[in-house]
């Protein structure tokens, strides 16, 4: 449990509320709170790689890796049976009915939602997996998120001895690292590594309204991005990375995309061609959120060349009904690389993650971590 987390009690229900009180007392006395019992369920790996991928083996490997680390995980058969009983087929996020069922029938504190963002089997192989933990409280919000991206030629070393040519070997490495980071969060509250600082991958153009510094604007919903690329699911990757980076910033309460999807479907709101101001305001009211973020993905190129990513993002404010953020980002894996390939980014997922980190850092600005609710 993290000392700076302010809204975990609403995220985890009564069981989490007791834990949060103890954590706050410990934090005030400079002590690390003891890990609390934490039961999680794991959705099947979602395929946003843009092509075919070994989803079932990856899911089974993730189950085994989490179990090997001693985490209390609902057996997959039990989870599948409950979801089938309630006819819940969507496993890309957590909505309110699903959160209620998982909490009451399986005693789940949080859902782990893994997403395969990139998978290239040809040598050198590439794989990227993002994960987020979503609370099963009355209002499903993202508790924690992280991502791991690896390429077989990340560290070839002398005479290419470190070159990884087996896709299966790289898959196992990434799954093991994902499980390690989940366990580190559950047991120690570790934030995780994600993709590092944005560095040279800052947005090219930025508009930011001063109202974003208002810490009273607590909650944010990320709507589906419009995919203007030929690469299937590119918009899903960018959406997931914005959700993850906003949650990691500690400056916002981030609504899970499953919760947002529930309201879109329930009120038949169609976002073809982009998000209108009227639709955005209606959604903010339905979700009881302060801000809404969306945008367009213009380019998303991965594969076996230098990755290239381009996207725009904007944020609308519920109170003023005005645009409070706008940016455009364009980056290549070879940007800023001059000597012997040092600093080259090999995967589109890692590149876009760092670019999204740059946008979110600017959005957060001087807000600082989220404080206790008023």
């Amino acid at each position: 449990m993290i000392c700076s987390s302010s809204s975990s009690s609403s995220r985890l229900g009564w069981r989490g509320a007791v834990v949060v009180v103890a954590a706050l007392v410990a934090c005030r006395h400079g002590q690390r709170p003891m890990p609390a019992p934490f039961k999680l369920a794991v959705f099947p790996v979602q395929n946003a790689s843009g092509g075919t991928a070994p989803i079932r083996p990856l899911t089974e490997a993730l189950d085994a890796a989490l179990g090997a680390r001693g985490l209390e995980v609902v057996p997959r058969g039990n989870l599948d049976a409950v979801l089938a009983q309630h006819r819940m087929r969507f496993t890309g996020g957590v909505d309110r009915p699903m959160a209620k069922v998982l909490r009451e029938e399986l005693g789940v504190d949080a859902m782990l939602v893994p997403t395969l963002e990139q998978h290239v089997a040809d040598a050198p192989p590439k794989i990227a997996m993002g994960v987020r933990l979503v609370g099963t409280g009355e209002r499903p919000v993202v508790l924690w998120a992280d991502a791991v991206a690896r390429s077989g030629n990340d560290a070839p070393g002398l005479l290419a001895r470190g070159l990884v040519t087996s896709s299966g070997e790289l898959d196992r490495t990434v799954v093991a690292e994902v499980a390690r980071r989940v366990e580190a969060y559950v047991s120690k509250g570790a934030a995780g590594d994600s993709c590092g600082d944005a560095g040279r991958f800052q947005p090219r153009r930025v508009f930011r309204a001063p109202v974003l510094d208002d810490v009273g604007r607590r909650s944010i919903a990320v709507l589906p991005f419009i995919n203007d690329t030929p690469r299937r699911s590119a918009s899903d990757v960018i959406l997931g990375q914005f959700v993850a980076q906003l949650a990691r910033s500690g400056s916002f309460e981030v609504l899970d995309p499953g919760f947002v999807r529930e309201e879109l479907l329930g009120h038949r709101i169609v976002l073809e061609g982009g998000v209108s101001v009227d639709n955005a305001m209606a959604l903010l009211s339905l979700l009881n959120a302060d801000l809404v973020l969306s945008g367009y993905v213009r380019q998303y190129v991965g594969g076996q060349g230098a990755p290239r990513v381009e996207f725009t993002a904007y944020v609308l404010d519920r109170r003023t009904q005005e645009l409070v953020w706008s940016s455009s980002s364009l980056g290549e894996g070879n940007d800023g690389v001059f000597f012997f390939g040092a600093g080259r980014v090999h995967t589109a997922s890692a590149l876009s993650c760092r670019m999204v980190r740059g946008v979110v850092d600017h959005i957060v600005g001087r807000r600082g971590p989220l404080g206790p609710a008023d």
Side-chain angles (χ1 to χ4, degrees):
M1 190 61 62
I2 299 176
C3 297
S4 61
S5 176
S6 61
S7 50
S8 297
S9 59
S10 62
R11 296 168 180 172
L12 296 178
W14 67 267
R15 192 181 324 191
V18 175
V19 173
V20 169
V21 171
L24 290 175
V25 171
C27 290
R28 289 172 182 171
H29 290 82
Q31 303 170 354
R32 179 185 296 277
M34 292 297 292
F38 196 90
K39 187 175 185 179
L40 62 99
V42 183
F43 278 152
V45 175
Q46 307 298 300
N47 187 8
S49 69
T52 59
I55 296 302
R56 183 168 181 176
L58 286 171
T59 300
E60 293 173 350
L62 183 58
D63 286 346
L66 292 168
R69 288 194 163 270
L71 294 170
E72 185 180 3
V73 180
V74 174
R76 184 153 302 279
N78 295 0
L79 175 63
D80 290 344
V82 168
L83 294 179
Q85 178 186 348
H86 293 274
R87 299 181 180 179
M88 294 176 174
R89 298 180 178 87
F90 176 71
T91 55
V94 182
D95 57 26
R96 284 172 295 189
M98 180 180 288
K100 185 174 186 292
V101 166
L102 295 174
R103 182 177 67 248
E104 295 181 354
E105 297 192 19
L106 294 175
V108 172
D109 294 301
M111 286 298 309
L112 184 70
V113 184
T115 300
L116 186 67
E117 299 178 347
Q118 188 170 6
H119 194 275
V120 178
D122 297 336
K126 300 180 180 182
I127 178 175
M129 183 180 292
V131 288
R132 69 180 187 271
L133 275 173
V134 184
T136 54
E138 298 294 334
R139 183 176 167 88
V141 297
V142 180
L143 307 178
W144 170 88
D146 207 343
V148 179
R150 296 285 188 271
S151 175
N153 59 349
D154 279 341
L158 184 65
L159 302 178
R161 291 179 179 177
L163 189 68
V164 179
T165 59
S166 166
S167 175
E169 180 182 348
L170 199 65
D171 290 353
R172 289 189 291 273
T173 298
V174 168
V175 167
E177 178 61 15
V178 167
R180 185 193 69 79
R181 296 188 188 185
V182 173
E183 190 273 334
Y185 170 75
V186 172
S187 63
K188 304 173 185 176
D193 300 323
S194 189
C195 51
D197 294 334
R200 61 190 184 274
F201 301 108
Q202 300 290 340
R204 301 290 182 93
R205 179 185 58 81
V206 166
F207 161 75
R208 185 181 190 275
V211 297
L212 281 175
D213 289 327
D214 177 11
V215 295
R217 288 168 166 83
R218 302 172 56 85
S219 57
I220 187 167
V222 183
L223 301 188
F225 276 59
I226 303 302
N227 188 6
D228 284 340
T229 80
R231 199 271 203 187
R232 190 173 75 243
S233 302
S235 56
D236 296 334
V237 174
I238 298 297
L239 180 150
Q241 290 176 347
F242 267 101
V243 168
Q245 293 296 340
L246 286 165
R248 285 175 53 80
S249 76
S251 298
F252 296 98
E253 179 187 68
V254 185
L255 306 184
D256 188 69
F259 182 18
V260 176
R261 177 180 180 272
E262 174 191 351
E263 295 296 346
L264 288 172
L265 293 177
H267 293 85
R268 299 181 180 178
I269 298 176
V270 180
L271 301 179
E272 291 182 5
V275 181
S276 69
V277 174
D278 288 343
N279 279 343
M281 291 305 109
L283 270 172
L284 287 171
S285 179
L286 292 169
L287 295 166
N288 193 25
D290 300 310
L291 303 165
V292 63
L293 183 149
S294 191
Y296 296 80
V297 184
R298 308 294 187 185
Q299 296 185 67
Y300 198 95
V301 180
Q304 292 294 13
R308 181 180 176 87
V309 176
E310 180 183 7
F311 60 84
T312 61
Y314 55 87
V315 177
L316 294 170
D317 176 50
R318 178 181 180 183
R319 299 184 200 176
T320 63
Q321 299 188 16
E322 294 179 350
L323 183 76
V324 294
W325 170 267
S326 175
S327 66
S328 61
S329 301
L330 172 63
E332 294 188 8
N334 290 328
D335 285 349
V337 176
F338 300 104
F339 300 105
F340 307 107
R344 179 179 289 122
V345 179
H346 295 283
T347 68
S349 179
L351 173 62
S352 56
C353 183
R354 293 178 67 175
M355 292 167 65
V356 170
R357 171 69 182 269
V359 172
V360 171
D361 285 348
H362 282 282
I363 291 175
V364 170
R366 299 187 299 271
R367 285 177 59 99
L370 195 66
D374 295 332

